[in-house]
DNA sequence: GTCTATAAATAGATAGAC
DNA sequence: GTCTATCTATTTATAGAC
């Protein structure tokens, strides 16, 4: 991660990376923000991780805050597109719910910074979330709401609050995705089962539970 | 919150608060850490919110980091005691599960900083969590595991991974408890249902879902 | 596009008076 | 116990050379 020692200082950018400094800074920043939060992130670290100088951040981005916002927006933009595809498909309502959950899970895996940054944003009331990003977030919930409505009209689901369903899906998914390190620590501390959960277990579990709720098989 | 303006500067500490400067700093710090994270928190703000001077923080606590750790430890200590009481009671396994969930919910309400600080800790792999605190966290999971075992021996529950069950309980609970502000923002942005979930809805929902899972009524 | 050097502000921590 | 004043380190951001 931190390569800013010794002769690494004079390392030349590889041919593959040439001209991609902006993308490298973006990726390095996502890592740093996820690990340390906005305030804890250090632009020197970000630049070093991207094998560049701090000044390059200000060449490509207006400020640390703008860089952060762009990463957040990118996350929700991607999630929004994914779940929209699922909702627009010709799958059954049940499979759309499964697909919605799978899309959220895959997105969290494709962007390892996503669960951690989003948990932080939740913790501080989405203080760094602008109006555009908030609209993306709303669209994700609305999309889930439309899938639920569709199932209700087909007589297969019972009415449910989409925000409550969404919390039941996203919260466990994000916590699981964000906790590989913590679960290892807990496993070393002796917590039974902390080491034996797989990604597929979690996704399948949430899919089953969510469908059971929507189909009224709970109460 | 921030009273450090004008004549507030010369405000005398009320009789009720006299000699309680340590407790006031503790409470103000919990608020600040929850809102801004460890790195983002500012010791000047903490002191001002406690109607004291920054130097008083270093009179009562060795450092900003030690203050933070003490708050985290206090949180898990309290939760550990609560769930231990539930497990040691003579309730049925079903009611113990309900009580466990209720205890977690109440603890998150009694300490508004708890859900937000814990979400942040999750996001960074529990970087500020010491061994003692980790042991408390493990004990909470173990306690849930014992309740599940008890239900299994009584032929009422099916075996389940306590960590997976715990994530299904704690993640939605913490996200809900941490998001009043965010849900208001979403409601203003037009998300249907964001404004209409109550605390009791969430707790009852999680209780029903968790019991359905443990009783094998899901798959 | 990339770097070095530096300005300018912020913030954790301490000394010492009262 | 509480305060003011200050030291010191860190860190965002910019100027300007190559």
């Amino acid at each position: 991660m931190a390569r800013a020692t010794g002769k690494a200082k004079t390392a030349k950018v590889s041919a593959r990376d040439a001209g991609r400094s902006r993308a490298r800074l973006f990726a390095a920043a996502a890592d740093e923000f996820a690990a340390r939060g906005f305030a804890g992130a250090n632009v020197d670290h970000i630049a070093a991780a991207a094998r560049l100088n701090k000044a390059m951040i200000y060449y490509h981005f207006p400020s640390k805050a703008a860089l952060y916002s762009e990463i957040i927006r990118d996350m929700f933009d991607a999630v929004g597109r994914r779940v929209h595809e699922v909702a627009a498909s010709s799958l059954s309502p049940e499979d759309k719910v499964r697909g919605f959950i799978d899309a959220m899970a895959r997105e969290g895996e494709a962007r390892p910074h996503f669960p951690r940054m989003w948990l932080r944003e939740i913790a501080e009331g989405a203080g760094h979330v602008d109006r555009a990003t908030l609209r993306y977030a709303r669209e994700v919930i609305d999309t889930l709401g439309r899938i639920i409505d569709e199932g209700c009209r087909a007589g297969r689901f019972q009415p449910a609050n989409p925000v409550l369903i969404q919390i039941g899906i996203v919260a466990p998914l994000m916590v699981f995705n964000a906790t590989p390190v913590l679960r290892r620590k807990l496993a070393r501390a002796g917590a039974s089962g902390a080491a034996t959960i797989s990604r597929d277990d979690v996704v399948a579990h949430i899919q089953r539970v969510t469908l059971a709720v929507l189909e009224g098989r709970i109460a």
Side-chain angles (χ1 to χ4, degrees), chain A:
Chain A
M1 203 173 263
R3 276 298 218 81
T5 44
K7 57 188 171 186
K9 225 175 177 180
T10 57
K12 280 287 176 297
V13 167
S14 75
R16 203 179 109 269
D17 284 338
R20 303 197 46 77
S21 62
R22 196 192 139 97
R24 268 166 28 226
L25 286 168
F26 187 97
D31 256 20
E32 174 86 356
F33 285 134
R36 303 179 198 250
F38 176 74
N42 181 310
V43 292
D44 273 314
H45 290 173
I46 293 171
R51 304 189 308 283
L52 286 166
N53 188 278
K54 170 169 55 173
M56 283 303 288
I57 289 178
Y58 296 95
Y59 175 75
H60 283 299
F61 305 93
S63 67
K64 180 185 173 183
L67 172 55
Y68 185 92
S69 292
E70 188 169 322
I71 295 168
I72 296 270
R73 220 178 309 117
D74 168 78
M75 276 168 23
F76 280 89
D77 188 21
V79 173
R81 284 174 209 280
R82 279 260 201 174
V83 299
H84 199 271
E85 279 173 31
V86 172
S89 72
S90 57
L91 294 170
S92 69
E94 287 86 350
D95 278 340
K96 283 188 183 178
V97 170
R98 290 194 190 94
F100 182 93
I101 294 167
D102 194 58
M104 301 290 301
R106 280 177 200 278
E107 215 49 53
E109 287 151 23
R111 297 161 205 262
H113 58 276
F114 180 18
R116 290 178 293 163
M117 288 183 73
W118 187 229
L119 285 181
R120 287 184 196 276
E121 281 302 319
I122 286 173
E124 62 196 56
H128 300 273
V129 168
D130 57 26
R131 218 177 274 136
T133 308
L134 204 61
R135 226 191 41 232
Y136 290 137
R138 200 207 70 190
E139 277 176 13
V140 172
I141 293 171
D142 285 352
T143 301
L144 180 60
R146 279 195 297 276
I147 295 175
I148 295 173
D149 283 347
E150 199 184 313
C152 288
R153 281 197 304 276
R156 302 160 96 149
F157 291 169
Q158 294 195 338
N161 186 320
V163 175
L164 186 57
I165 301 298
Q166 168 81 327
I167 289 180
I169 292 171
V170 171
L173 218 43
M174 284 192 308
V175 167
F176 178 78
N177 268 334
T179 50
V181 174
L182 177 52
R183 276 179 285 119
R184 263 198 299 280
K185 279 189 190 178
L186 279 169
R188 271 200 296 274
S192 63
T196 62
I197 320 176
S198 77
R199 180 263 185 207
D200 290 345
D201 287 343
V202 175
V203 173
H205 182 257
I206 294 174
Q207 286 175 332
R208 281 200 309 271
V209 167
T210 306
L211 281 172
V213 169
L214 290 175
E215 292 169 352
R217 292 187 276 118
I218 291 289

